[in-house]
Amino acid sequence: QKEVEQDPGPLSVPEGAIVSLNCTYSNSAFQYFMWYRQYSRKGPELLMYTYSSGNKEDGRFTAQVDKSSKYISLFIRDSQPSDSATYLCAMSERAGSYQLTFGKGTKLSVIP
Amino acid sequence: KAGVTQTPRYLIKTRGQQVTLSCSPISGHRSVSWYQQTPGQGLQFLFEYFSETQRNKGNFPGRFSGRQFSNSRSEMNVSTLELGDSALYLCASSLGTSGGLSYEQYFGPGTRLTVT
């Protein structure tokens, strides 16, 4: 079993829909949780990061962490065609660790 | 501020050859991490260099190696290439100093390596 599991999709939704992306993990030492977006032929770019269990909102994006269930989510409201990309969850054990463990990524297409 | 640059962007090599990839971090950043991205395994951590020293290493065979220069530029080398080494190789740059945070990494566009 991989340390981080993420449904690879692909996921196709109509413009304006609410998108839910999820990851589960098995390593209880993970404390820092990140979501990256990767466009085709580009490197990943950071979208959101969270530390504790709970919700964090940034514009149309909400990150949710449930450490008791070892489950994290990213919600995208009012999805736009420009949100079409691969979304990767990532985790680390320590604040200063650059050794991230990634999910395989979910490919999202938002249809106009 | 210029972002992370990686050269070359695309590379085709033959099984058994070796390859060197280059990464120039954001100005002022002293840490460079390397990742391998494949459809089957996703993004996997290779190693991290800080101030010319390898600080962390992932679970890859010894054919994968790297180094960092005094100007923080980094290279990674793969010797005796195998078909399974075909991947997108990404480097990420960060300040690397104490107090730095895991999410403060900035990725380059990657080098697409194809092994035939």
Side-chain angles (χ1 to χ4, degrees), chain B:
Chain B
K1 199 182 232 187
V4 179
T5 57
Q6 292 188 245
T7 56
R9 291 292 310 277
Y10 301 91
L11 205 48
I12 300 175
K13 289 286 188 179
T14 304
R15 220 170 9 169
Q17 288 186 315
Q18 75 162 14
V19 68
T20 299
L21 312 180
S22 181
C23 173
S24 292
I26 292 170
S27 177
H29 284 193
R30 293 165 61 191
S31 168
V32 173
S33 298
W34 288 90
Y35 291 83
Q36 181 195 65
Q37 186 174 29
T38 60
Q41 298 298 319
L43 259 158
Q44 293 184 284
F45 175 80
L46 280 155
F47 30 65
E48 182 215 351
Y49 285 85
F50 175 75
S51 291
E52 301 178 66
T53 301
Q54 188 179 86
R55 194 157 65 170
N56 286 297
K57 188 177 189 303
N59 190 25
F60 276 81
R63 299 185 297 107
F64 293 82
S65 63
R67 60 177 175 167
Q68 187 179 33
F69 302 95
S70 58
N71 62 358
S72 294
R73 190 177 71 85
S74 177
E75 289 181 348
M76 68 161 280
N77 183 278
V78 188
S79 62
T80 320
L81 284 165
E82 300 177 359
L83 295 179
D85 297 333
S86 294
L88 181 67
Y89 289 88
L90 293 155
C91 82
S93 142
S94 50
L95 283 171
T97 53
S98 64
L101 297 170
S102 304
Y103 57 84
E104 292 174 330
Q105 285 191 86
Y106 301 89
F107 284 85
T111 294
R112 172 75 62 186
L113 171 65
T114 302
V115 182
T116 62

